[in-house]
Amino acid sequence: RCVHLYGMNSIERGATMTRLQEQRKKAGMTQKELAEKAGVSIRSLQVYEAGYRSINGVAAITVYQLARALGCNVEDILEDTPS
């Protein structure tokens, strides 16, 4: 059994791809490439993509840098929030 940060693996969390991960894959970039281009740590990017921390709660400048590096709009990487 693989245990990740916070004690839950992706299957237990019912993980699906985050919008950030979808956009990164669509852009044909690796996590390392995106992290370098956006100026964020690869570990932070991994945490956002794994869903351990919502991209919606990240500093606006970081979200902007990620979107710019991906060539997409900020809205394309933010997760939907329940109404």
Side-chain angles (χ1 to χ4, degrees):
R1 178 167 184 255
C2 182
V3 177
H4 295 279
L5 187 66
Y6 304 110
M8 294 173 68
N9 66 36
S10 58
I11 295 170
E12 290 171 329
R13 286 185 291 106
T16 58
M17 265 199 286
T18 61
R19 293 176 82 180
L20 174 61
Q21 188 176 20
E22 288 173 0
Q23 288 296 321
R24 178 179 60 77
K25 289 182 180 277
K26 183 177 172 182
M29 298 175 79
T30 65
Q31 287 180 330
K32 183 179 181 196
E33 290 168 336
L34 176 56
E36 289 173 356
K37 189 170 182 180
V40 301
S41 74
I42 192 165
R43 184 64 191 137
S44 292
L45 182 58
Q46 291 167 338
V47 167
Y48 307 148
E49 285 194 0
Y52 292 125
R53 180 169 181 205
S54 172
I55 190 76
N56 297 12
V58 174
I61 188 67
T62 301
V63 176
Y64 172 77
Q65 289 169 315
L66 286 165
R68 185 170 179 198
L70 288 166
C72 66
N73 295 317
V74 167
E75 295 82 10
D76 295 330
I77 62 174
L78 293 175
E79 295 299 323
D80 293 329
T81 56
S83 312

